[in-house]
Amino acid sequence: MALVQCSEKLGSLMLQLGKNFVMFMVMVIACNGLHFLLRPFSQPRITSDIIVGLVMGNVPFLRELYAGFNRTFEFIIDFGMVCYMFALGIEMDPYVLFKRPTRDVHIAYAAVISTFMLALFTTPILRIFSGKHGIEFIICLCIFLSSTASPVLTRLITHLKIGKSDIGKLVIAAGMHSDCLCILLLSVGYISMPLDTFCNDVEVKNRLKKTIIMGCAVIGQTLLAAIVSPIFMNWVDNENPEGKPMKGSHLVLSIAFMTMVCASSTLYDYSPILSAFITGVCFPRNGRVSKWVIGKINYMLNIIFFPIFFLWMGYAAHFREFEVGQLSTWMRLFVPIVVVTLGKIAGTVISGAMLGFHWPESVAIGLLLSVKGHFHIYIAVKLIGCGVSSVSSSIAMLIAVFFTVVHGPTVVANIIKRARKRAPTHRMALQLLDPLSELRILLCVHGPDNVPASINFMEISRGTADPGILVYVAEMIELTEQLAATVERGEGVLATIVKDKKVMEMRDQVTSSFQAYVDEDGDGITLKRTLAVSTINNMARDICVLAEDLMIALIILPFHMSQRQDGKLDSGNQGFRHVNRKVLRSAPCSVGILVNRGFGSIEKISRCEASVKVAVIFIGGKDDREALAYAGLVARHKGVKLTVIRFLVDTSAESSRLAAYRVSIPGLEEEMGLDDEYFAQFYEKHIVGGRISYTEKHLANAAETFSTLRSFEGQYSLVIVGREGGVNSILTRGMNDWQHCPELGPIGDVLSGSDFLMTVSVLIIQQHKLRGELDGLDDDFSIM
């Protein structure tokens, strides 16, 4: 009989466990599904989680299932919040409280103080708390309203792609300072007013004695964590260097040490959640153990804890107990929202005015700092039936948390909109250049050795006398300590002067060579001189600033390697290679890298007959379209015999195995459509009339592409290619695996290889790319 009863109970328990597991999976699927539906609105994950939690928590059938495991879930929630607060504490920097305040600290403290003062004057009229300790509760509520959910705010800013901008960094730092300060104040306040005092509404006997004991326990725990934990964690990190698996025994010791420190003050009735936060704040932020703990905790929270947490929240927020007909209910919903919003905005606007911020950005910062999150939801649920005047008050707090989050994407969108209006609008691409406008080129040289090839480049690029081209020739001079004393910088981009004798002689030689060419036959060419003198680390930035200020459409950089007398390339200057790479990443216009292997030895390009053979390779992609656009300019020169070579995939020869290697990326079909459309226009304009030769190469794979490129030996003096080399094309698949110079792209790297093609010069072109993912606005934009 007892065995049958045990089996029945076990079966019933397994059935209940299965039902709750199904409920958990439904919660996970519903949260992910709603988050996917809200993705076009850029809403953070917490928005969909709150909605799904409130809905599922109020479904009668699910409420019955939940009630059976309520105590178990309560334990899970408390344990999860302990882990959440510990990870939050580790990410905080407590030493900022003792340093000279920075801009973000000024913003954070001003927003906290203004919100606290406004809440202190307005929340008493709501009469949320009906117990004896009304003043203490109001102070705690004001601190609660003044804080910011820094994890939610950080994820929101990062997800919306402004985390690298000046305002994004400022908001994230201010949010963390605000969160740290407010939770520390609550941690200290808890010592004199524990939660059970609120809940039971009683005067605890020997309250002063218990407060002193609890305070000493917290101080002892703080000192233990602050003094011992760095020593212990450094020892663990030294015993487990990066690159090697962490020893299991050390990992167990670390977790045991963290648990012991976190639990020390809870023995004296201190809150385990606040204890975990204080411990995390005192723990070292760097090191393998800390990073491992943060990673594992965040993974556990996102995968397991948050679905249960928001279901628990929805169950606690029973809408049937929400007193819709009471005016006080709506006041308790909207007044906190208004207080938080106005308080944060007032503080950020005042501090922003003192710091010199524009008021729209100050308002935006205030709106973002009003975001609340998981800790606020946890406290609001815990207050249900805990001295609060009605359940409606706590439900109103939960709904208010939702409204502090949903406006975030709109605020960020306005920040991006304002930044885009104030950002430089000069985005140049040859493909988009008006044919009736003057082509502006920044032609960079290392010294006299680059001059012949640069002059020939000017010659084939000159086009017609009207509209002509404007060329700024700039020497790239590395700034040394000896040279710095001779540099005089005036106002404007053309006012830098170097009085070093060697540099002056080199510049005079370069200037005389270019000027002699222009004086002899420079119709349509306007020549100007400038200079890029800087350290290797800053030279790319100076070149980009020059290009931006001079409204350049195309930057031409010399390849960092030079051709030796035997025809091969030397090892080159790695510093200039670093500059070329940075310019490719940051340029405000299109960029070309000229690999000179014989192009500079052409003494004079005839204007009457085709004396120079130039080829342009077209596979596909925006860089190849840009190369084709430049080829259209070259085609105007009568001394150039231009051939367009289009590489196409030979589908008849392509095997099913190769087809399986094709990578599908978003927008590929659209990109291929742009290729076909632009090439058709180019064909109609230039090839149909016979001005340009055209040939097609039907190839099956990268090996055939490589063989075709090798056949160019001796046929062309210059080959123009796009740096991208046909993105996602099977014709270049695998070439990246053995590239010597990735900055040249797959095709450019092959043509520039030192093993062959010693007489073919290469011009690799990259179309101006919109950096970042903000529709033309840099990820690291500046608006403050």
Side-chain angles (χ1 to χ4, degrees):
M1 187 67 179
L3 182 62
V4 174
Q5 292 178 347
C6 182
S7 299
E8 290 179 352
K9 289 184 178 180
L10 181 61
S12 176
L13 180 62
M14 294 296 294
L15 179 62
Q16 291 291 330
L17 183 62
K19 290 180 179 179
N20 280 274
F21 179 76
V22 171
M23 181 172 62
F24 170 78
M25 294 304 301
V26 171
M27 182 71 182
V28 172
I29 295 172
C31 289
N32 290 328
L34 184 58
H35 181 62
F36 177 78
L37 295 177
L38 294 178
R39 185 172 296 176
F41 304 99
S42 302
Q43 286 295 327
R45 185 60 183 254
I46 191 173
T47 303
S48 55
D49 289 346
I50 291 176
I51 295 175
V52 173
L54 290 175
V55 172
M56 291 189 62
N58 283 274
V59 176
F61 171 72
L62 296 179
R63 289 186 63 83
E64 293 178 2
L65 287 176
Y66 184 86
F69 276 80
N70 192 18
R71 291 185 178 180
T72 305
F73 281 157
E74 285 283 350
F75 171 77
I76 295 174
I77 297 302
D78 290 339
F79 175 76
M81 283 305 300
V82 167
C83 297
Y84 174 87
M85 296 299 288
F86 180 73
L88 178 63
I90 291 182
E91 295 178 349
M92 298 293 182
D93 182 13
Y95 299 103
V96 73
L97 300 173
F98 309 102
K99 295 179 181 178
R100 184 177 180 180
T102 55
R103 294 195 312 172
D104 44 15
V105 175
H106 279 293
I107 290 288
Y109 292 174
V112 168
I113 292 172
S114 60
T115 307
F116 180 85
M117 297 302 296
L118 184 60
L120 196 61
F121 286 107
T122 55
T123 51
I125 65 174
L126 300 178
R127 297 181 180 178
I128 298 177
F129 189 76
S130 58
K132 299 179 181 179
H133 308 286
I135 296 177
E136 294 90 337
F137 179 83
I138 289 174
I139 293 175
C140 291
L141 179 61
C142 293
I143 297 174
F144 178 81
L145 295 176
S146 303
S147 64
T148 301
S150 59
V152 175
L153 182 59
T154 301
R155 291 190 184 95
L156 176 69
I157 296 296
T158 305
H159 174 71
L160 297 176
K161 313 299 182 186
I162 68 168
K164 296 180 181 179
S165 65
D166 57 349
I167 190 171
K169 294 176 182 177
L170 180 69
V171 169
I172 290 175
M176 294 191 70
H177 296 323
S178 174
D179 211 3
C180 181
L181 176 64
C182 291
I183 298 180
L184 286 177
L185 290 176
L186 290 174
S187 301
V188 174
Y190 189 92
I191 297 175
S192 60
M193 186 57 62
L195 187 62
D196 58 354
T197 305
F198 284 128
C199 294
N200 300 325
D201 193 21
V202 295
E203 290 290 346
V204 182
K205 295 182 179 180
N206 301 322
R207 177 176 170 183
L208 180 60
K209 179 180 178 181
K210 290 189 175 183
T211 298
I212 294 175
I213 294 174
M214 188 185 297
C216 292
V218 172
I219 294 174
Q221 171 186 316
T222 304
L223 294 175
L224 176 65
I227 297 174
V228 179
S229 62
I231 300 174
F232 179 80
M233 291 302 171
N234 287 334
W235 173 75
V236 174
D237 290 336
N238 292 332
E239 293 293 320
N240 299 272
E242 293 285 351
K244 293 185 178 181
M246 184 173 290
K247 298 177 182 177
S249 58
H250 291 162
L251 191 59
V252 171
L253 282 174
S254 301
I255 296 175
F257 178 74
M258 295 177 188
T259 305
M260 180 193 71
V261 177
C262 288
S264 57
S265 63
T266 60
L267 298 175
Y268 301 93
D269 298 327
Y270 190 69
S271 169
I273 293 174
L274 297 178
S275 175
F277 177 79
I278 292 176
T279 304
V281 167
C282 297
F283 258 66
R285 303 168 62 191
N286 300 319
R288 291 192 67 185
V289 177
S290 297
K291 294 178 181 178
W292 182 87
V293 167
I294 292 175
K296 295 301 181 182
I297 288 179
N298 287 333
Y299 179 80
M300 181 199 71
L301 293 175
N302 290 319
I303 299 300
I304 300 175
F305 175 66
F306 285 152
I308 300 175
F309 175 80
F310 286 101
L311 187 61
W312 170 76
M313 174 207 70
Y315 176 82
H318 195 191
F319 284 157
R320 289 187 177 181
E321 300 182 17
F322 189 69
E323 300 170 352
V324 180
Q326 298 292 328
L327 178 62
S328 59
T329 300
W330 297 105
M331 289 183 63
R332 290 164 184 166
L333 171 61
F334 289 109
V335 169
I337 297 175
V338 173
V339 167
V340 170
T341 304
L342 293 182
K344 293 291 186 182
I345 291 176
T348 54
V349 168
I350 294 173
S351 59
M354 298 172 62
L355 295 171
F357 296 165
H358 301 284
W359 71 265
E361 280 68 52
S362 298
V363 172
I365 294 172
L367 289 172
L368 291 174
L369 291 179
S370 65
V371 168
K372 302 293 184 285
H374 303 85
F375 178 66
H376 303 86
I377 292 174
Y378 176 81
I379 296 298
V381 174
K382 283 294 184 180
L383 290 177
I384 294 178
C386 183
V388 177
S389 59
S390 66
V391 178
S392 294
S393 300
S394 294
I395 297 176
M397 291 182 187
L398 295 175
I399 300 174
V401 170
F402 173 79
F403 283 110
T404 63
V405 175
V406 291
H407 69 274
T410 304
V411 176
V412 173
N414 280 309
I415 291 173
I416 296 174
K417 183 178 180 181
R418 282 182 51 80
R420 190 175 292 120
K421 287 181 179 179
R422 295 173 56 185
T425 58
H426 170 61
R427 302 185 184 98
M428 299 297 292
L430 299 179
Q431 184 183 344
L432 306 176
L433 193 65
D434 184 356
L436 299 179
S437 63
E438 183 182 53
L439 175 62
R440 304 169 72 94
I441 299 174
L442 179 62
L443 186 56
C444 299
V445 296
H446 297 156
D449 293 341
N450 302 132
V451 171
S454 300
I455 289 177
N456 286 336
F457 169 82
M458 287 173 53
E459 175 63 35
I460 67 173
S461 307
R462 64 189 301 166
T464 58
D466 186 20
I469 61 173
L470 172 60
V471 180
Y472 287 87
V473 177
E475 288 91 354
M476 300 167 62
I477 300 176
E478 182 179 359
L479 184 65
T480 61
E481 293 183 3
Q482 180 180 359
L483 197 62
T486 66
V487 177
E488 294 182 1
R489 300 185 186 272
E491 295 184 3
V493 295
L494 305 178
T496 301
I497 300 175
V498 180
K499 292 188 176 182
D500 181 80
K501 184 178 180 180
K502 292 182 179 180
V503 173
M504 292 177 66
E505 291 176 354
M506 182 270 290
R507 294 205 71 201
D508 289 341
Q509 186 178 351
V510 171
T511 302
S512 60
S513 299
F514 276 102
Q515 195 62 49
Y517 160 74
V518 174
D519 292 341
E520 181 181 353
D521 189 6
D523 293 341
I525 298 178
T526 303
L527 181 67
K528 294 189 177 183
R529 299 286 279 112
T530 184
L531 182 65
V533 53
S534 182
T535 61
I536 290 298
N537 288 333
N538 295 328
M539 187 175 292
R541 182 192 63 188
D542 290 352
I543 291 173
C544 293
V545 170
L546 271 174
E548 184 73 44
D549 292 342
L550 299 175
M551 299 188 67
I552 298 298
L554 178 63
I555 300 173
I556 298 297
L557 300 168
F559 191 44
H560 71 280
M561 297 181 183
S562 301
Q563 191 175 26
R564 301 191 306 240
Q565 290 185 353
D566 61 0
K568 295 187 176 181
L569 297 174
D570 59 20
S571 58
N573 187 320
Q574 294 301 314
F576 285 129
R577 182 186 186 186
H578 175 71
V579 173
N580 289 356
R581 288 179 167 182
K582 291 185 71 174
V583 171
L584 286 169
R585 288 197 301 266
S586 309
C589 60
S590 296
V591 181
I593 296 180
L594 180 59
V595 182
N596 174 32
R597 290 198 296 187
F599 190 60
S601 62
I602 303 174
E603 294 185 1
K604 186 175 179 61
I605 299 177
S606 173
R607 297 286 183 87
C608 302
E609 58 179 344
S611 59
V612 177
K613 292 183 178 180
V614 178
V616 56
I617 297 175
F618 185 86
I619 301 177
K622 58 186 179 65
D623 289 349
D624 280 24
R625 294 197 297 271
E626 192 75 349
L628 204 61
Y630 175 73
L633 299 175
V634 176
R636 300 176 185 176
H637 198 290
K638 295 182 179 180
V640 176
K641 180 176 177 55
L642 183 64
T643 301
V644 175
I645 306 173
R646 187 172 190 183
F647 288 2
L648 297 170
V649 178
D650 186 359
T651 54
S652 61
E654 184 183 9
S655 67
S656 58
R657 179 181 63 84
L658 291 175
Y661 281 99
R662 290 191 175 186
V663 180
S664 178
I665 61 175
L668 178 59
E669 293 185 1
E670 181 182 356
E671 192 75 11
M672 294 174 64
L674 293 174
D675 290 340
D676 293 337
E677 180 182 357
Y678 188 74
F679 193 86
Q681 294 175 0
F682 183 89
Y683 189 96
E684 187 72 24
K685 184 177 181 180
H686 297 288
I687 300 176
V688 171
R691 297 174 57 188
I692 299 178
S693 301
Y694 173 63
T695 182
E696 292 181 354
K697 300 288 185 180
H698 292 268
L699 310 172
N701 49 46
E704 293 190 10
T705 302
F706 185 84
S707 300
T708 302
L709 295 176
R710 294 202 64 167
S711 68
F712 288 176
E713 177 70 48
Q715 295 189 38
Y716 305 103
S717 300
L718 178 68
V719 178
I720 305 169
V721 300
R723 178 173 180 258
E724 208 171 46
V727 63
N728 197 50
S729 175
I730 197 173
L731 302 183
T732 57
R733 186 70 46 74
M735 287 185 175
N736 295 333
D737 297 338
W738 36 269
Q739 278 184 317
H740 295 289
C741 297
E743 66 269 23
L744 302 181
I747 302 298
D749 184 73
V750 170
L751 293 172
S752 305
S754 58
D755 296 332
F756 60 93
L757 300 176
M758 299 177 184
T759 61
V760 177
S761 299
V762 190
L763 177 63
I764 300 96
I765 293 181
Q766 172 186 276
Q767 187 180 81
H768 172 232
K769 55 183 179 180
L770 303 178
R771 292 162 285 169
E773 303 178 30
L774 298 176
D775 190 21
L777 188 66
D778 297 345
D779 289 344
D780 56 348
F781 68 87
S782 178
I783 192 174
M784 302 303 298

